[in-house]
Amino acid sequence: MVELQNVSVTYAGGVDALNNVSLKINDGDFAFVVGSSGAGKSTMIKLLLKEIDATSGVVTVNGYNLSKLKKRKIPEFRRTLGFVFQDFRLIPSMTVYENIAFVLRVLDAPLKYIRKRVPYVISLVGLHAKTNSYPDELSGGEKQRVAIARALVNDPQLIIADEPTGNIDPELSYEIVELLKGINDQGTTILMVTHEHDLVRHFGGRIINITDGEIVYDEVVTGTNAELLPEVELAQAMENAAVQHSAEYSMPDSDSNYSAPYVDDVIAAIANTSNENGGAK
């Protein structure tokens, strides 16, 4: 479960990135988070990953109160998450199998488990034939499938996908979201950040729109693939909500260019923690 209770984030200089936001995403939900550049989406992601702390309010993710979480507990918490990057961040010198297995190896998972789990998630994302291929031998869509498999391999309770269709061909975007929907159907909570309203209109579901650091729209809608909701209805509803907020507000550029190397940072943190406790080196 993800819950934000009256959460605000104020950056240096007094800029309010999030303003008294309250939000609850239940286990098993699939939610789209949309909003213009600088609206606060990336700040929310950083909060959920414990990369930054809230200025005020309470952030709870997968049973962890991040407002009180001690530094030594952060690697343990992050193991309950999966993260999908817009730019894939695969290791060029490793095959598909090795890129995915690497996460479990860092977590010191038993070799027998790795040999069973990795082929399973590779098959789940439809890349069995590419098991021994390297990233430069894959298409953009295939690379993103590997990234999704890597996020899924440690069986996380929550997967956060940050613009997962941003660097692939538009026609493949629907396949990626279908894949995430399928993973969600198996019980994994999915939070997908996107600026692609066509995808949101097509699939429907829970739509959370952030504008000027506030949630201005949070509703469940029917997708146009079911032909029950005219495409313009969702766009108009979100536009109307956004218009109610001041157009004068602007966010610092750092919020709209979220590129922190999360996987590398987490792997390093886990490895360091293991070393300090006498684990694998």
Side-chain angles (χ1 to χ4, degrees):
M1 181 185 72
V2 174
E3 186 169 11
L4 279 65
Q5 297 174 288
N6 305 116
V7 170
S8 294
V9 175
T10 302
Y11 287 129
V15 178
D16 292 326
L18 291 178
N19 182 23
N20 198 36
V21 169
S22 292
L23 171 69
K24 186 175 182 179
I25 297 173
N26 293 314
D27 292 342
D29 280 358
F30 188 114
F32 289 103
V33 177
V34 301
S36 60
S37 178
K41 305 187 304 295
S42 294
T43 295
M44 180 178 290
I45 290 174
K46 292 175 184 179
L47 278 175
L48 299 182
L49 297 178
K50 186 60 176 175
E51 294 221 346
I52 63 173
D53 293 320
T55 306
S56 61
V58 179
V59 180
T60 305
V61 180
N62 293 341
Y64 289 83
N65 182 340
L66 302 192
S67 306
K68 297 182 178 179
L69 190 64
K70 294 181 180 178
K71 186 175 181 180
R72 62 182 174 80
K73 285 285 189 177
I74 292 176
E76 174 187 303
F77 155 68
R78 286 177 174 164
R79 292 172 200 174
T80 71
L81 306 174
F83 194 85
V84 181
F85 297 100
Q86 176 179 342
D87 55 356
F88 320 131
R89 306 206 188 171
L90 304 179
I91 301 172
S93 61
M94 291 186 176
T95 65
V96 168
Y97 181 98
E98 291 167 341
N99 263 282
I100 298 169
F102 182 61
V103 175
L104 293 180
R105 286 172 178 156
V106 168
L107 295 175
D108 202 24
L111 183 59
K112 183 177 181 180
Y113 177 77
I114 294 174
R115 288 175 174 171
K116 181 178 180 180
R117 179 67 179 175
V118 174
Y120 169 73
V121 295
I122 290 175
S123 296
L124 192 64
V125 300
L127 288 179
H128 180 72
K130 301 288 185 177
T131 297
N132 296 314
S133 298
Y134 290 89
D136 63 0
E137 299 172 326
L138 304 176
S139 67
E142 289 170 339
K143 290 177 183 177
Q144 195 56 289
R145 286 175 176 267
V146 177
I148 291 172
R150 183 181 58 193
L152 184 64
V153 73
N154 65 330
D155 197 21
Q157 297 169 247
L158 167 69
I159 289 180
I160 300 173
D162 186 16
E163 300 283 2
T165 61
N167 280 343
I168 60 177
D169 295 334
E171 60 269 22
L172 296 177
S173 298
Y174 293 87
E175 294 182 13
I176 293 300
V177 180
E178 287 281 9
L179 175 57
L180 290 171
K181 286 279 190 179
I183 293 170
N184 173 248
D185 288 341
Q186 301 302 310
T188 303
T189 307
I190 306 286
L191 190 64
M192 175 175 163
V193 178
T194 183
H195 67 278
E196 298 188 49
H197 286 190
D198 286 345
L199 286 175
V200 176
R201 284 191 288 265
H202 177 81
F203 287 97
R206 185 175 178 185
I207 318 299
I208 301 166
N209 186 10
I210 301 179
T211 299
D212 298 348
E214 299 181 7
I215 294 176
V216 299
Y217 184 90
D218 185 357
E219 300 288 344
V220 177
V221 302
T222 305
T224 58
N225 60 329
E227 299 182 352
L228 295 177
L229 180 71
E231 285 195 21
V232 332
E233 185 173 329
L234 173 59
Q236 188 63 54
M238 296 200 314
E239 181 179 348
N240 290 343
V243 163
Q244 296 175 9
H245 283 64
S246 170
E248 298 178 358
Y249 181 91
S250 62
M251 286 288 296
D253 290 340
S254 61
D255 184 69
S256 59
N257 293 299
Y258 177 71
S259 59
Y262 166 69
V263 165
D264 293 341
D265 289 347
V266 173
I267 286 174
I270 294 171
N272 289 340
T273 300
S274 296
N275 292 343
E276 292 168 1
N277 292 331
K281 298 183 180 181

